[in-house]
Each structure stands twice: as structure tokens, then as C-alpha cells.
Amino acid sequence: MVENNKNNSDVEFKIESELFALVKSITNLNNKYQKGTVNDNFFRKALKSTMNNFLKLSFIIKENNLQLPDLLNKMNISREYNSVLDLINRIYTLNLSDNKIITKNHSFLELPGITSEITSSFITLMDALTLDGLTKKEIIFNLFDELNHNLGNFPGLDDTLDKVKSVQKSAANQIDLLRSDAKLREKLINELYQIFKEFQNKLNLKS
């Protein structure tokens, strides 16, 4: 994958090359699948890998202040790109019996829908830490685990997951103090909130 480096004068060219390769990869993969030259299991695994890379690239495009439609027009592959979107949506609709490849209740292309569970997990965890009657550490750590699980299921969020795990480790090391110290809880809430805002900005989902 292309590294995110705004100081690299070649970054746009590298993004275009990666985008072109991914569009062609999905197109060729589907052609082979339709002809029966690749089996269903290989198709699904290869599609998962390609889609994950495609989503990670979309993050890099946003982080480098580029616009996907502009890149597609410049490269003259808008029609192929739209065909790829149609393909992914069709596959999602068919739900290829392996919900590890495409999240069962969300389309790969519907980022706000895909992130709904992550957003809910962030808010629930922050709300729980706000409560003065925090007595059961299992509740807090279960909420952390749920958030980590949801982040782990979404490609391209490794850095976000690492930050949440760091906050969780801090909470675990100070669990007894956490129950009685409102300022410590506020500190952890603020750290989670900043991670949450970074997550929103990364996906360009701020309202």
C-alpha cells in the first residue's frame, strides 16, 4: 500500500497507480470468477484482500487532501470504478455466506453504516466512565473489548485500535483509583474522545 506522506512529491502518482491497480484487480478477478477459472473460495478471499486495500487507500486519499472523483476523471477510469462499485454492491446483496468477508449488515461502500457500531461503542464506553457509581471493572473492560472487536473488524484502523488499547491498559493499571477518582475518569474520557474525533475525521464523517 501507499504510505501516507504529504511531503512526498510523488504521493499523488503513487495513489493513482494503486487506485488503478485495485480497480483492475477487482475487474479481472470478477471476470475470472464468471468464467469459472477461479473457485468460489479463492474469489471470496481475494475479494476481501482487494477491498481492504481499497478502503485503506481511500483513507490515504482523504489524508492527503485529494478528491477521489478528481483522480478518477484524471485517470479516465470513472466508468470502470462505477462498475466496481456495482459489483461490490451486488456481492453484498447476495451475502456470500461468509460474513467475515463483508460485514453482514453493512455495505462496504456505506461508510456511515459500517461505522455505526464503532460509534456506538465509543459513546457507550465514554458514558459508562462518566458514571460516578463505577463499581464493576468487568463492565468497563467488556466495553473496551467490544470497541476493540469492532475496530478490529474494520480495515485500516490499526492505529486507532492501538490507541484505544493504550487507554485500556492505562485504565487496567489504575482500576482501583479509577472507581473513586473523577479526574482520572475524565482524563481517560478525554483521551477516548480525541481518538473518536480522529476516527470521525479519518473517515470524513463529521457532521
Side-chain angles (χ1 to χ4, degrees):
M1 289 297 297
V2 176
E3 295 294 331
N4 177 28
N5 185 351
K6 295 180 180 180
N7 295 322
N8 189 339
S9 61
D10 295 328
V11 68
E12 185 171 342
F13 174 77
K14 292 180 179 179
I15 288 174
E16 291 175 359
S17 298
E18 186 77 21
L19 180 60
F20 182 84
L22 290 174
V23 169
K24 290 295 185 181
S25 175
I26 294 181
T27 301
N28 293 336
L29 177 66
N30 183 55
N31 289 338
K32 291 179 180 179
Y33 180 66
Q34 296 301 324
K35 293 176 180 178
T37 57
V38 298
N39 62 36
D40 184 71
N41 185 57
F42 179 85
F43 175 71
R44 289 184 284 127
K45 288 182 178 180
L47 184 63
K48 175 186 176 182
S49 175
T50 303
M51 289 197 314
N52 287 354
N53 286 334
F54 190 49
L55 186 53
K56 291 176 183 178
L57 183 62
S58 73
F59 295 159
I60 296 173
I61 290 172
K62 289 184 176 71
E63 290 168 357
N64 283 278
N65 298 316
L66 298 171
Q67 298 296 321
L68 180 58
D70 293 341
L71 293 174
L72 294 171
N73 287 333
K74 178 182 177 182
M75 299 164 63
N76 196 28
I77 59 170
S78 295
R79 181 175 297 180
E80 275 191 278
Y81 174 81
N82 289 329
S83 295
V84 166
L85 298 194
D86 289 341
L87 168 65
I88 294 173
N89 276 325
R90 286 200 308 272
I91 292 172
Y92 163 67
T93 302
L94 292 173
N95 191 17
L96 293 175
S97 76
D98 185 355
N99 58 15
K100 294 181 180 179
I101 290 173
I102 301 177
T103 305
K104 185 175 181 181
N105 296 320
H106 303 294
S107 166
F108 168 76
L109 302 170
E110 296 170 346
L111 291 182
I114 297 175
T115 60
S116 62
E117 291 185 3
I118 296 175
T119 298
S120 177
S121 294
F122 266 114
I123 293 174
T124 302
L125 176 55
M126 290 187 287
D127 284 347
L129 287 169
T130 303
L131 298 175
D132 290 331
L134 184 66
T135 56
K136 292 186 177 181
K137 64 181 181 180
E138 291 83 3
I139 295 176
I140 297 301
F141 291 139
N142 283 343
L143 291 174
F144 266 112
D145 288 343
E146 179 182 298
L147 175 57
N148 290 336
H149 174 76
N150 289 333
L151 288 170
N153 283 339
F154 195 96
L157 294 180
D158 293 345
D159 58 334
T160 303
L161 179 59
D162 288 342
K163 290 178 181 179
V164 171
K165 286 183 176 180
S166 178
V167 176
Q168 182 178 11
K169 182 177 180 180
S170 178
N173 290 337
Q174 306 176 80
I175 187 59
D176 292 330
L177 184 60
L178 185 65
R179 298 174 185 175
S180 59
D181 191 332
K183 289 185 177 180
L184 176 58
R185 294 204 302 274
E186 182 178 358
K187 177 177 179 293
L188 294 180
I189 292 169
N190 287 337
E191 290 177 359
L192 285 170
Y193 182 71
Q194 290 304 314
I195 298 170
F196 176 55
K197 299 305 288 185
E198 290 175 10
F199 163 73
Q200 286 186 308
N201 290 335
K202 190 168 191 178
L203 300 186
N204 197 24
L205 296 177
K206 284 186 65 177
S207 58

